[in-house]
Amino acid sequence: MTETKAVRPYGALAHQMKDHIYMMRWGFIYTSPWVVTAHTVRHPAAILLTAKHTPFELSVNKCVRSYQAVAIKPVTERGLRATDVQLVSIHIHPNCPHFRPFRAMPDPGVFVLERDAYAEFDRTLDAAYQGTLTIQDASHLFDGVVATTIRYLPKVKRTDARVQRAIELMQQNAAYPLRELAATLDLSYDRMSHLFSEAVGLPLRSYQLWQKAYNAGFLFDSGRPLTDIAHATGFTDSAHLSHTFQNSYGINPSYLMDRNCVKYLSDRTGAINFPASEVG
């Protein structure tokens, strides 16, 4: 991957164009004029496109290639260089009903997509990049791009009903004791953990931490301090939240909450069971 003098992975061009985040229940859309990251691992699956069909560089297994559109398997280590290409990245959360086709992608976890397959979304992708979409418009864009993409991905069976129920219960209560969760589903903890990891690609405990980070993501536009958000979502402190969110999403919450760099919109209907006093 070409070396760059810039040391910032995000926000190097914030003085010209802010990054944009649209956080929704099943995933989020992130746009940026500048992303240069070292190799990171993300829990969501991803679809990377550029609003103007300009290629970006992706590095996987020390192999650097240029793409205009690509799907990335969850928990795939990769580096990204997307500078002045109007990047629009669509991230699919592990709780999304369409997550498993991405999970079933063969190694090395990168699937090349035809950029022209998304031509119908070009105007909306540009609006997302410009930051002019409403959260409802962003949700429609997310649904359309994901539906288009899974046509090309491996066909999969439905998620085991017990795993799906476990996901639902953790959405309702991110602090659900995991052994009690397994017992509720008439499974041993070891069996539940095996089924869950096989279906989702994350161990139960890692998923539970991700669920808390996911919940926190809906509060980054609340105007509350990061420490308040951490306590509201089950973290011991802001450092614990930051570490978990960084591991899950590859970006620090402090950056996402910097309104000089990022315009952040979230669909509060996606945040489940937060006390009204905690969400501002």
Side-chain angles (χ1 to χ4, degrees), residues 226-247:
L226 189 60
T227 297
D228 289 356
I229 294 172
H231 292 159
T233 51
F235 291 96
T236 54
D237 52 33
S238 60
H240 188 201
L241 167 56
S242 294
H243 177 75
T244 301
F245 199 91
Q246 181 85 39
N247 284 348

Side-chain angles (χ1 to χ4, degrees), residues 5 19 21 28 36 58 65 98 129 144 167 184-185 194 196 201 204-205 207 230 246 255 275:
K5 294 181 180 179
D19 294 351
I21 294 276
F28 67 95
V36 179
L58 192 67
R65 291 183 179 175
H98 298 303
Y129 179 77
I167 289 173
T184 299
L185 300 171
H194 174 77
F196 197 93
L204 264 173
R205 294 188 187 282
Y207 185 92
Q246 181 85 39
Y255 174 73

Side-chain angles (χ1 to χ4, degrees), residues 138-279:
S139 181
H140 291 314
L141 175 61
F142 177 91
D143 290 344
V145 171
V146 171
T148 298
T149 302
I150 60 175
R151 297 174 194 162
Y152 305 103
L153 300 184
K155 306 302 178 186
V156 296
K157 296 179 180 179
R158 286 190 174 188
T159 303
D160 186 298
R162 295 166 295 185
V163 172
Q164 188 59 45
R165 182 57 180 156
I167 289 173
E168 292 168 359
L169 290 171
M170 280 189 283
Q171 284 180 322
Q172 295 167 17
N173 177 13
Y176 206 121
L178 296 181
R179 293 192 180 278
E180 290 183 21
L181 177 67
T184 299
L185 300 171
D186 294 323
L187 292 167
S188 69
Y189 174 79
D190 288 344
R191 179 60 177 159
M192 181 72 250
S193 184
H194 174 77
L195 287 173
F196 197 93
S197 182
E198 187 177 64
V200 180
L202 293 174
L204 264 173
R205 294 188 187 282
S206 296
Y207 185 92
Q208 188 174 52
L209 268 179
W210 170 82
Q211 179 71 57
K212 292 178 181 180
Y214 160 96
N215 289 345
F218 289 96
L219 300 181
F220 290 161
D221 66 341
S222 66
R224 302 290 291 273
L226 189 60
T227 297
D228 289 356
I229 294 172
H231 292 159
T233 51
F235 291 96
T236 54
D237 52 33
S238 60
H240 188 201
L241 167 56
S242 294
H243 177 75
T244 301
F245 199 91
Q246 181 85 39
N247 284 348
S248 296
Y249 292 104
I251 193 167
N252 195 290
S254 296
Y255 174 73
L256 296 179
M257 295 172 69
D258 184 347
R259 293 297 163 258
N260 292 317
C261 295
V262 182
K263 179 181 177 182
Y264 199 102
L265 290 84
S266 67
D267 180 1
R268 291 287 178 79
T269 63
I272 298 174
N273 284 352
F274 283 130
S277 62
E278 297 288 4
V279 296

